[in-house]
Each structure stands twice: as C-alpha cells, then as structure tokens.
Amino acid sequence: MAKTAIPMVNLRAQYLSIKDEIDEAISRVLDSSIFINGPEVQKFEAALAEYLGVKHVIGVANGTDALQIAFMALGYEEGDEVITPSFTYAATAEILGLLKLTPVFVDVDPNTYNLDPRKIEKSISARTKAIIPVHLYGSPAPMEDIISISNKYGLHIIEDNAQGIGAEYHFENGSIKKTGAIGDLGTFSFFPSKNLGCYGDGGAVCTNDDKLAQKVRMIAKHGQSKKYIHDMLGCNSRLDAIQAAILNVKLNHLERWNYTRLNAAKFYNELLADLEQVECPIIDENHKQVFHQYTIKAENRDELQAYLQSEGIPSVVYYKIPLHKQKAFINIPNRKGELSDTEALCDKVLSLPIDSEIAEDQQIEIVNHIKNFYKQ
Ligand SMILES: *Cc1c(COP(=O)(O)O)cnc(C)c1O
C-alpha cells in the first residue's frame, strides 16, 4: 500500500476527528438562519474572553482587520511611529502603511525569533506611539522587557497574536498571562491553518479597556453608535455565525491540540539533537509555547528544502524576505534599525510540518530525510 503523503498541516484529519460536533454546529446555524452576529458569535466572544482571561473580545473578519481596527481605535496621527519586527508576516506592518503610520523595523533575537528588547530603545523617537510584539511561531515575545520599555516611554502595546493563541507568558512576580491578553490590545487570526482555525476567514480583537472595546466594536460596524447613526468612519468587518459556531466547537479542543504541537516540537528536537547542520528552536520551560510553526535554522537551507520536496516532504520558509526589503514597504515612509539578525535568519529558517495531528512515525520519516540530505 502506498504511504499517504505527509501534509504541512492536516486540516482534513483534524476535521474528521471532530466531524460530528462540527456538522451539528453548522446545521444548527443553517437551521436558525442567523448568519451574521447572533448567539453563536456572542457565545464565542464570551468563551474566548474567558479562555484568555480578558474583559472584551470582539469578533472581526480576519486577523489583518483585527490589527487595522485596533490601530484605528487608538486614533494616532499621520506619521506617528510604531515599532514592529521586520521578521513577520506582511499584515503586521501593512496596516500601519495603510493608516499612514510609520513602521519602525526593529531586529529580532535570532535565538527566539522575537523582537530583541535590547534593540527597541534605540529606535524610539518623540513620535513613537506603540510597540507590536508578534508572538512568532507561537512563542511568547519578551513581554516583561517590552512592558518596562513601554512604561518608560508611555507607549501602547498591541500584540499580534495570530500565531500564538493559547501561549502563556510567566512573569517574574509569578503571574501568568495568556499572550494577546497582556498589552492594551491583542489581535487574533482564525485563518484555517492557525492553531485555532475556522473554515474560512475570521479574527478577533481583545482588550481589558472598556473604551477601546467600545471603539473597536463601533469601527468594525461602520462607526455606528446606534443603528444608522454613524459617529466616525469605520469599516465592515464581521465574524460570521457559521465560523463562530465552528470556533465554539474547536476552542474546546485547543489546549489538547496545542499540547500535541508542543510534544511534537520536543520530539523533533530530540530527533535532530545530534545533527550539527541544524539548529533547533528553543523549548522555553519558563513559558508556554504553542508551536504554530516548528522552525529550524539549517545550513544550505534552499538545497535542503529542494531535496525534501523531491522526497515528498513539505516545508515552508517563513519568511524569505524581511518586510524592510519588500517593495511595498520601500514605497511607504518607514524607519529601519540595524536588521542584520533578521536578514541572516531569512536565509536559514525552515519550517517543518507540525499540527494537531502529526504522528511520531511521520516526524521520524521527515528527520530521516533531513539526515540523508546532510550525509550526501
Ligand atoms: C496570519 C497572520 C496575520 C493575518 O491574519 P489573517 O487572518 O490572514 O488576516 C497577521 N499576523 C501574523 C503574524 C500572522 O501569522
């Protein structure tokens, strides 16, 4: 019997494992024919708020909208500066350009892939208003340092938690907070392949601030304070009821799925431990990581990737071109710190298959191919 190919993310296997619950939830929405807002959306917003330990969750259409609406709610002026990594998905800084804010790109720590707190302060100016920590690959950014810098300079923190839902930051004073629920605002994506993915597009903004929550809700609904009363310019960004119903089912499985991902990451690290051409991601026992991606640094990365592909093993480079080198960002006003670690990472990183369904024998097969490549 031919072996089934290993996918990067096995959405179908995950669906089949919860098929009855999902099918029932979708037919419930079809039966109610309440497709926009309504009880499923309210239930999900409340459930996610409770899970995160935060006062307000507002469902929106996707993770990019979540970021854009969060920044619209903060009401910055044209030319205000926002500190962001360059080593992230384009959406993080794209919305800054669209809102005529200035992204200030700061380098990441090559060991953690997250903003390097030692390099943030040098990039702060009189116009700096906020920092966007991105909990990249599902590992918490160094929030303790980021909070102390933001307190010192009076900056907002907007967490891009598209990749980090369920991760936890353990503070030195013993308190534990879920990523996304630490800063002034947190943003989430429910794109299908994210750790909590729906079956289409979805996103959310969370905050503990009542005023910001109200503003986010208004902006996502055409700036309406009451029906047909528009107090400000907004947009149309809704989490639809079918997606919310799916997320209500899947949120109950998230802890277990994230645990599977963490265990898979640990197993990869064991399997790859004696391979000197590969540097494994750090498993940080002080915090809780959720391994949205399992990302190695590999010698001869492009050749390795081509070899794996020829052997039927998928892998992805997140990210090949840093944002400060993308054409889109060269044409908007931006500021760049020294980004040598970011640039070096772009030539080395390779993400291997990881999800809630991956099996040990698949990981062994993947690593055997990696070992064969370096033996050649
Ligand atoms: C996926 C992602 C987004 C955007 O989410 P969408 O739902 O695709 O709009 C933003 N930031 C990061 C870091 C992401 O990984």
Side-chain angles (χ1 to χ4, degrees):
M1 199 179 89
K3 260 204 288 191
T4 46
I6 300 173
M8 195 66 195
V9 177
N10 200 339
L11 292 179
R12 181 169 161 76
Q14 193 196 60
Y15 163 61
L16 292 176
S17 76
I18 51 169
K19 184 178 185 313
D20 291 348
E21 278 183 279
I22 291 281
D23 292 358
E24 197 273 326
I26 293 175
S27 20
R28 206 168 52 230
V29 176
L30 296 179
D31 205 45
S32 76
S33 291
I34 301 170
F35 296 116
I36 299 290
N37 298 323
E40 290 291 345
V41 174
Q42 280 172 10
K43 183 179 162 194
F44 176 66
E45 289 179 343
L48 184 60
E50 191 188 330
Y51 175 75
L52 295 170
V54 79
K55 243 170 122 179
H56 306 278
V57 166
I58 302 103
V60 296
N62 56 67
T64 308
D65 274 12
L67 279 161
Q68 177 164 340
I69 292 166
F71 274 91
M72 287 170 79
L74 290 164
Y76 298 148
E77 285 168 17
E78 184 167 342
D80 282 345
E81 298 183 354
V82 179
I83 293 197
T84 164
S86 178
F87 191 67
T88 178
Y89 183 56
T92 313
E94 180 181 42
I95 57 100
L96 300 176
L98 288 173
L99 296 175
K100 303 216 178 303
L101 304 172
T102 300
V104 176
F105 293 116
V106 170
D107 217 357
V108 290
D109 178 334
N111 296 310
T112 65
Y113 309 112
N114 275 319
L115 270 181
D116 187 339
R118 295 165 301 184
K119 296 184 180 172
I120 293 176
E121 266 190 280
K122 275 182 272 184
S123 294
I124 291 174
S125 81
R127 295 217 65 176
T128 309
K129 290 288 190 288
I131 305 177
I132 312 181
V134 180
H135 304 292
L136 201 74
Y137 306 149
S139 289
M143 295 309 292
E144 195 109 37
D145 292 318
I146 290 171
I147 289 170
S148 79
I149 294 167
S150 77
N151 286 343
K152 187 168 163 191
Y153 294 92
L155 310 176
H156 289 124
I157 297 174
I158 299 85
E159 299 172 75
D160 179 347
N161 200 32
Q163 300 188 7
I165 193 164
E168 287 173 0
Y169 192 88
H170 293 221
F171 288 87
E172 271 158 30
N173 69 7
S175 77
I176 298 173
K177 285 189 183 170
K178 289 230 158 58
T179 56
I182 302 169
D184 298 281
L185 291 152
T187 67
F188 296 81
S189 165
F190 309 121
F191 185 78
S193 62
K194 300 280 157 94
N195 289 33
L196 179 64
C198 58
Y199 295 163
D201 273 311
V205 179
C206 77
T207 183
N208 281 310
D209 184 313
D210 298 344
K211 283 208 176 106
L212 280 176
Q214 198 191 0
K215 234 168 152 190
V216 165
R217 225 174 250 294
M218 249 171 85
I219 291 166
K221 211 185 264 184
H222 298 291
Q224 271 188 176
S225 54
K226 293 195 195 98
K227 207 156 196 190
Y228 303 118
I229 306 296
H230 302 271
D231 291 1
M232 60 194 295
L233 294 181
C235 54
N236 171 24
S237 190
R238 296 185 279 239
L239 178 65
D240 75 61
I242 289 181
Q243 301 308 337
I246 291 162
L247 290 166
N248 277 324
V249 170
K250 291 183 75 173
L251 183 57
N252 293 324
H253 298 278
L254 179 63
E255 285 289 301
R256 177 169 60 83
W257 287 336
N258 278 342
Y259 187 70
T260 303
R261 286 174 180 269
L262 177 59
N263 275 339
K266 288 179 178 167
F267 190 53
Y268 266 134
N269 274 20
E270 273 173 41
L271 295 171
L272 289 163
D274 55 359
L275 199 60
E276 62 189 35
Q277 295 92 340
V278 164
E279 202 182 314
C280 295
I282 291 173
I283 311 269
D284 184 351
E285 301 290 352
N286 291 321
H287 303 285
K288 184 173 159 198
Q289 297 160 287
V290 295
F291 283 92
H292 174 59
Q293 299 297 343
Y294 178 84
T295 305
I296 58 171
K297 282 168 268 182
E299 266 177 35
N300 301 322
R301 191 265 323 269
D302 291 340
E303 291 82 356
L304 170 62
Q305 187 179 30
Y307 175 80
L308 290 176
Q309 191 183 2
S310 72
E311 299 291 316
I313 304 293
S315 64
V316 181
V317 176
Y318 301 111
Y319 300 91
K320 215 177 201 103
I321 306 173
L323 298 189
H324 67 279
K325 289 200 163 172
Q326 299 275 5
K327 200 169 149 196
F329 293 96
I330 287 165
N331 294 327
I332 59 164
N334 64 72
R335 248 189 340 109
K336 302 181 247 310
E338 187 265 322
L339 296 160
S340 53
D341 287 327
T342 293
E343 288 173 15
L345 275 179
C346 289
D347 294 332
K348 280 194 204 144
V349 289
L350 190 67
S351 298
L352 304 178
I354 194 163
D355 64 4
S356 59
E357 309 303 311
I358 195 158
E360 288 196 345
D361 60 342
Q362 294 178 316
Q363 293 186 266
I364 291 167
E365 186 185 338
I366 292 163
V367 170
N368 283 342
H369 285 295
I370 295 173
K371 289 186 170 167
N372 287 341
F373 168 74
Y374 287 114
K375 256 190 243 153
Q376 289 171 359

